[in-house]
Amino acid sequence: MTNRPKKVALLGSTGSIGRSTLEVIGRSDGRLSAVALSAHSNTELLFQQAARFRPRWIVVTDPAAAESQDWTGLPAETKLLVGPEAIGQIAADDEVETVVSAIVGSAGLLGTWAAIAAGKRVALANKESLVVGGALITRLAREHHAEIIPVDSEHSAVFQAFQAGQRDEVRRVILTASGGPFRTHTAEQLADVTVREALDHPTWQMGPKITVDSATLMNKALEIVEARWLFDLKPDQIAVTIHPQSVVHSIVEYKDGSMIAQLGSPDMKLPIQYALDWPERHEGVATRLDWSQALRLDFEPPDLERFPALELGLEVARRGGTAGAVLSGANEAAVAAFLNHELSFTKIVPAVRAALENHDFDPQPSLARVLELDRWARQEVIRWIGA
Ligand code: MG
């Protein structure tokens, strides 16, 4: 056994998952090393991260942001690369073993693609990669013998629970959802929720886009599609239960009726560390559950009338093809419009549904076609809001 550190390229190092990933790497006792970091425009934080972790490369994808930062004092061994193409370059570099794909939204797909095409292990936090390009990405991974290890907490839980049996013994998976901040809101109350209320998540600390997605349950819809591709499940093998404490991260039900669940505190450092260390486990840096205290776990079925996003997720998982790209693109545009006070909370899902219904469905699209439809769906939502 060697003590050589595992070399990690971290795409999206300044976001919520990126910062947690660096915490895991920084506390890994030299087991893990960050050899490349990328950010879109938060050059200030990227500069600080480079000073601390001394990677071989840092990438700034927004050239204007790279231009305006003073890079004096960057470690001598760290090279600055500018522009989105550099993401593909670091993801595919020979020196890199594991690529953490943590760029938010469908912008993360190209980094995932480059890493898989280079046969890397991909610790996948960017769910849009599979929502937009599920069929293409999973086929590419088979061709290049690339491993995709989920970082999304629910999928990490399923991945871990799968170790308890054979794949043909699995009856279904049950994804848990916190229910978000509006779990107990009536339909009338939902119509009036503000941006500030939507950004206040009860159990998870995350970026604004995914926090709004948790409030609409669109996050769970995206995760249904993600699970369908990641684990090659039939859509009717995926169920959702509302679990407000976010302690049970998901459940696998086997043929015999046994349910294997993974539990832990709601802390993304746990699934991040699992993905980076897999198949090993090491001392954890995430906060732990305290079994000396009373612990209550509640589960309830989701209310599809108040949270219609779930139905969309199942529908998109069934249709496949270009439906995922439209779901993802339309949702990003609708969430952006909500955050800009241009669209009410309860109109996010109808805006996405309209784009799905109006799109030109293709069951076997190319990468270029799904990317094009992702862009089309954003425009379509803007048109729908204006109409
Ligand atoms: Mg999740």
Side-chain angles (χ1 to χ4, degrees), residues 282-331:
H282 293 274
E283 279 301 311
V285 302
T287 45
R288 284 167 197 261
L289 291 176
D290 180 0
W291 293 98
S292 71
Q293 304 294 315
L295 176 64
R296 182 181 160 155
L297 302 176
D298 294 297
F299 299 90
E300 65 194 34
D303 180 343
L304 299 179
E305 281 194 14
R306 284 183 304 128
F307 297 103
L310 284 179
E311 207 110 80
L312 273 190
L314 286 168
E315 196 179 304
V316 168
R318 263 192 299 273
R319 289 185 83 188
T322 46
V326 174
L327 177 74
S328 174
N331 179 56

Coordinates of all heavy atoms in Angstrom, one line a residue, residues 282-331:
H282 N -13.0 6.3 6.1 CA -12.0 6.8 7.1 C -12.7 7.7 8.1 O -13.9 8.0 8.0 CB -11.0 7.6 6.3 CG -10.1 6.8 5.4 ND1 -9.0 6.2 5.9 CD2 -10.3 6.4 4.1 CE1 -8.5 5.5 4.9 NE2 -9.2 5.6 3.8
E283 N -12.0 8.1 9.2 CA -12.5 8.9 10.2 C -13.3 10.1 9.6 O -12.8 10.7 8.7 CB -11.4 9.5 11.1 CG -10.9 8.6 12.1 CD -12.0 8.2 13.1 OE1 -12.7 9.0 13.6 OE2 -12.1 6.9 13.3
G284 N -14.5 10.3 10.0 CA -15.4 11.3 9.3 C -15.2 12.7 9.9 O -14.9 12.9 11.1
V285 N -15.4 13.7 9.1 CA -15.4 15.1 9.5 C -16.8 15.7 9.7 O -16.9 16.8 10.2 CB -14.5 16.0 8.6 CG1 -13.1 15.4 8.4 CG2 -15.2 16.1 7.2
A286 N -17.8 15.0 9.2 CA -19.1 15.5 9.4 C -19.6 15.4 10.8 O -19.1 14.5 11.6 CB -20.1 14.7 8.5
T287 N -20.6 16.2 11.2 CA -21.1 16.1 12.6 C -21.9 14.8 12.7 O -22.4 14.3 11.7 CB -22.1 17.3 12.8 OG1 -22.9 17.4 11.7 CG2 -21.4 18.6 13.1
R288 N -22.0 14.3 13.9 CA -22.6 12.9 14.1 C -23.9 13.0 14.8 O -24.2 14.0 15.5 CB -21.6 12.1 15.0 CG -20.5 11.6 14.1 CD -19.4 11.0 15.0 NE -18.2 10.9 14.2 CZ -17.8 9.8 13.6 NH1 -18.4 8.7 13.7 NH2 -16.7 9.8 12.8
L289 N -24.8 12.0 14.6 CA -26.0 11.9 15.3 C -25.7 11.5 16.8 O -24.7 10.8 17.0 CB -26.9 10.8 14.8 CG -27.4 11.0 13.4 CD1 -28.2 9.7 12.9 CD2 -28.4 12.2 13.4
D290 N -26.5 12.1 17.7 CA -26.2 11.9 19.1 C -27.3 10.9 19.7 O -28.4 11.4 19.9 CB -26.2 13.2 19.8 CG -26.0 13.1 21.3 OD1 -25.8 11.9 21.8 OD2 -26.0 14.1 22.0
W291 N -27.0 9.7 19.9 CA -28.0 8.7 20.3 C -28.2 8.7 21.8 O -29.0 7.9 22.3 CB -27.6 7.3 19.8 CG -27.6 7.1 18.3 CD1 -26.6 7.2 17.5 CD2 -28.8 6.9 17.5 NE1 -27.0 7.1 16.2 CE2 -28.3 6.9 16.2 CE3 -30.1 6.8 17.8 CZ2 -29.2 6.8 15.1 CZ3 -31.0 6.6 16.7 CH2 -30.5 6.6 15.4
S292 N -27.5 9.6 22.5 CA -27.8 9.8 23.9 C -29.1 10.7 24.1 O -29.6 10.8 25.2 CB -26.6 10.3 24.7 OG -26.4 11.7 24.3
Q293 N -29.5 11.3 23.0 CA -30.6 12.2 23.0 C -31.8 11.5 22.4 O -31.6 10.6 21.5 CB -30.4 13.5 22.2 CG -29.1 14.3 22.7 CD -29.3 14.8 24.1 OE1 -30.4 15.4 24.4 NE2 -28.3 14.7 24.9
A294 N -33.0 11.9 22.7 CA -34.2 11.3 22.1 C -34.2 11.8 20.6 O -33.8 12.9 20.3 CB -35.5 11.9 22.7
L295 N -34.5 10.9 19.7 CA -34.4 11.2 18.3 C -35.8 10.7 17.7 O -36.2 9.6 17.8 CB -33.3 10.4 17.6 CG -33.1 10.6 16.1 CD1 -32.9 12.0 15.7 CD2 -32.0 9.7 15.6
R296 N -36.4 11.6 17.0 CA -37.7 11.3 16.4 C -37.6 11.4 14.9 O -37.1 12.3 14.4 CB -38.7 12.3 17.0 CG -40.1 12.1 16.4 CD -41.1 13.1 17.0 NE -42.2 13.0 16.0 CZ -43.4 13.4 16.4 NH1 -43.7 13.8 17.6 NH2 -44.4 13.3 15.5
L297 N -38.1 10.4 14.2 CA -38.1 10.3 12.8 C -39.5 10.2 12.3 O -40.2 9.3 12.6 CB -37.2 9.2 12.3 CG -35.8 9.1 12.7 CD1 -35.1 7.8 12.3 CD2 -35.0 10.3 12.2
D298 N -39.9 11.2 11.4 CA -41.3 11.2 10.9 C -41.2 10.9 9.4 O -40.3 11.4 8.7 CB -42.0 12.5 11.1 CG -42.2 12.8 12.6 OD1 -43.0 12.0 13.2 OD2 -41.7 13.7 13.1
F299 N -42.2 10.2 8.9 CA -42.4 10.0 7.4 C -43.8 10.2 7.0 O -44.7 9.8 7.8 CB -42.0 8.6 7.1 CG -40.5 8.3 7.4 CD1 -40.2 7.7 8.7 CD2 -39.5 8.5 6.5 CE1 -38.9 7.5 9.0 CE2 -38.2 8.3 6.9 CZ -37.9 7.7 8.1
E300 N -44.0 10.9 5.9 CA -45.4 11.0 5.4 C -45.4 11.0 3.9 O -44.4 11.4 3.3 CB -46.1 12.3 6.0 CG -45.4 13.6 5.5 CD -45.7 14.8 6.3 OE1 -46.0 14.7 7.5 OE2 -45.8 15.9 5.6
P301 N -46.5 10.6 3.3 CA -46.5 10.6 1.8 C -46.6 12.0 1.3 O -47.1 12.9 2.0 CB -47.8 9.8 1.4 CG -48.6 9.8 2.7 CD -47.7 10.0 3.8
P302 N -45.9 12.3 0.1 CA -46.0 13.7 -0.4 C -47.4 14.1 -0.9 O -48.1 13.2 -1.3 CB -45.0 13.6 -1.5 CG -44.9 12.2 -1.9 CD -45.2 11.4 -0.7
D303 N -47.7 15.3 -0.8 CA -49.0 15.9 -1.3 C -48.7 16.4 -2.7 O -48.1 17.4 -2.9 CB -49.5 17.0 -0.3 CG -50.8 17.6 -0.8 OD1 -51.2 17.3 -2.0 OD2 -51.4 18.3 0.0
L304 N -49.2 15.6 -3.7 CA -48.9 15.9 -5.1 C -49.7 17.1 -5.5 O -49.3 17.8 -6.5 CB -49.2 14.7 -6.0 CG -48.4 13.5 -5.7 CD1 -48.7 12.3 -6.6 CD2 -46.9 13.8 -5.8
E305 N -50.8 17.5 -4.8 CA -51.5 18.7 -5.3 C -50.8 20.0 -4.9 O -50.8 20.9 -5.7 CB -52.9 18.6 -4.7 CG -53.7 17.7 -5.5 CD -55.2 17.8 -5.3 OE1 -55.7 18.7 -4.7 OE2 -55.9 16.8 -5.8
R306 N -50.3 20.0 -3.7 CA -49.6 21.2 -3.3 C -48.2 21.2 -3.9 O -47.6 22.3 -4.1 CB -49.5 21.3 -1.7 CG -50.8 21.7 -1.1 CD -50.7 21.9 0.4 NE -50.2 20.6 1.0 CZ -49.2 20.6 1.9 NH1 -48.5 21.6 2.2 NH2 -48.8 19.4 2.4
F307 N -47.6 20.1 -4.2 CA -46.2 20.0 -4.7 C -46.2 19.2 -6.0 O -45.8 18.1 -6.1 CB -45.3 19.4 -3.7 CG -45.2 20.3 -2.4 CD1 -45.8 19.9 -1.3 CD2 -44.5 21.4 -2.4 CE1 -45.8 20.7 -0.1 CE2 -44.4 22.2 -1.3 CZ -45.0 21.9 -0.2
P308 N -46.8 19.9 -7.1 CA -46.9 19.1 -8.4 C -45.6 18.8 -9.1 O -45.6 18.1 -10.1 CB -47.8 20.1 -9.2 CG -47.5 21.5 -8.6 CD -47.3 21.2 -7.2
A309 N -44.5 19.4 -8.6 CA -43.2 19.1 -9.3 C -42.9 17.6 -9.3 O -42.3 17.1 -10.2 CB -42.1 19.9 -8.5
L310 N -43.3 16.9 -8.2 CA -43.0 15.5 -8.1 C -43.5 14.7 -9.3 O -42.8 13.8 -9.9 CB -43.5 14.9 -6.8 CG -42.8 15.2 -5.6 CD1 -43.4 14.6 -4.4 CD2 -41.3 14.8 -5.7
E311 N -44.7 15.0 -9.7 CA -45.4 14.3 -10.8 C -44.6 14.6 -12.1 O -44.4 13.6 -12.9 CB -46.8 14.8 -11.0 CG -47.7 13.8 -11.6 CD -48.7 13.3 -10.7 OE1 -49.7 14.0 -10.4 OE2 -48.5 12.2 -10.2
L312 N -44.1 15.8 -12.3 CA -43.3 16.1 -13.4 C -42.0 15.3 -13.5 O -41.6 14.8 -14.5 CB -42.8 17.6 -13.4 CG -43.7 18.7 -14.0 CD1 -43.0 20.0 -14.0 CD2 -44.2 18.3 -15.3
G313 N -41.4 15.1 -12.3 CA -40.2 14.3 -12.2 C -40.4 12.9 -12.7 O -39.6 12.3 -13.5
L314 N -41.5 12.3 -12.2 CA -41.8 10.9 -12.6 C -42.1 10.8 -14.1 O -41.7 9.9 -14.8 CB -43.0 10.4 -11.8 CG -42.7 10.0 -10.4 CD1 -44.0 9.8 -9.6 CD2 -41.8 8.8 -10.3
E315 N -42.8 11.8 -14.6 CA -43.2 11.9 -16.0 C -41.9 12.0 -16.9 O -41.7 11.3 -17.9 CB -44.0 13.1 -16.2 CG -44.8 13.2 -17.5 CD -45.6 14.5 -17.5 OE1 -46.4 14.7 -16.6 OE2 -45.5 15.3 -18.5
V316 N -41.0 12.8 -16.5 CA -39.7 13.0 -17.2 C -38.9 11.7 -17.1 O -38.2 11.4 -18.1 CB -39.0 14.3 -16.7 CG1 -37.5 14.3 -17.3 CG2 -39.7 15.5 -17.1
A317 N -38.9 11.1 -16.0 CA -38.1 9.8 -15.9 C -38.7 8.8 -16.8 O -37.9 8.0 -17.4 CB -38.1 9.3 -14.4
R318 N -40.0 8.8 -17.0 CA -40.7 7.8 -17.9 C -40.3 8.1 -19.3 O -40.0 7.3 -20.1 CB -42.2 7.8 -17.7 CG -42.7 6.8 -16.8 CD -44.2 6.7 -16.9 NE -44.9 7.9 -16.5 CZ -45.3 8.2 -15.2 NH1 -45.0 7.4 -14.2 NH2 -45.9 9.4 -14.9
R319 N -40.4 9.4 -19.7 CA -40.2 9.8 -21.1 C -38.8 9.7 -21.6 O -38.5 9.3 -22.7 CB -40.7 11.2 -21.3 CG -42.2 11.3 -21.3 CD -42.7 12.8 -21.6 NE -42.8 13.0 -23.1 CZ -43.0 14.2 -23.6 NH1 -43.1 15.2 -22.9 NH2 -43.1 14.3 -24.9
G320 N -37.8 10.1 -20.7 CA -36.4 10.1 -21.2 C -36.2 11.0 -22.3 O -36.8 12.1 -22.4
G321 N -35.3 10.7 -23.2 CA -35.0 11.6 -24.4 C -34.7 13.0 -24.0 O -33.9 13.2 -23.1
T322 N -35.3 13.9 -24.6 CA -35.0 15.4 -24.4 C -35.8 16.0 -23.2 O -35.6 17.1 -22.9 CB -35.4 16.2 -25.7 OG1 -36.7 15.8 -26.1 CG2 -34.3 16.0 -26.7
A323 N -36.7 15.2 -22.6 CA -37.6 15.7 -21.5 C -36.7 16.3 -20.4 O -37.0 17.3 -19.8 CB -38.6 14.7 -21.0
G324 N -35.7 15.6 -20.0 CA -34.8 16.0 -18.9 C -34.2 17.4 -19.1 O -34.0 18.2 -18.2
A325 N -33.7 17.6 -20.3 CA -33.0 18.8 -20.7 C -34.0 20.0 -20.5 O -33.6 21.1 -20.0 CB -32.4 18.8 -22.1
V326 N -35.2 19.8 -21.0 CA -36.2 20.8 -20.9 C -36.6 21.1 -19.4 O -36.7 22.2 -19.0 CB -37.5 20.5 -21.8 CG1 -38.6 21.5 -21.6 CG2 -37.0 20.4 -23.2
L327 N -36.8 20.0 -18.7 CA -37.1 20.1 -17.2 C -36.0 21.0 -16.5 O -36.3 21.9 -15.8 CB -37.2 18.7 -16.6 CG -37.4 18.7 -15.1 CD1 -38.9 19.0 -14.7 CD2 -37.0 17.3 -14.5
S328 N -34.8 20.6 -16.8 CA -33.7 21.3 -16.1 C -33.6 22.8 -16.5 O -33.5 23.7 -15.7 CB -32.4 20.6 -16.4 OG -31.3 21.3 -15.9
G329 N -33.5 23.0 -17.8 CA -33.4 24.4 -18.4 C -34.5 25.3 -17.9 O -34.3 26.4 -17.5
A330 N -35.7 24.8 -18.1 CA -36.9 25.5 -17.8 C -36.9 25.9 -16.3 O -37.3 27.0 -15.9 CB -38.2 24.8 -18.2
N331 N -36.6 24.9 -15.5 CA -36.6 25.1 -14.0 C -35.5 26.2 -13.6 O -35.8 27.0 -12.8 CB -36.4 23.8 -13.3 CG -36.4 24.1 -11.8 OD1 -37.3 24.6 -11.2 ND2 -35.3 23.7 -11.1

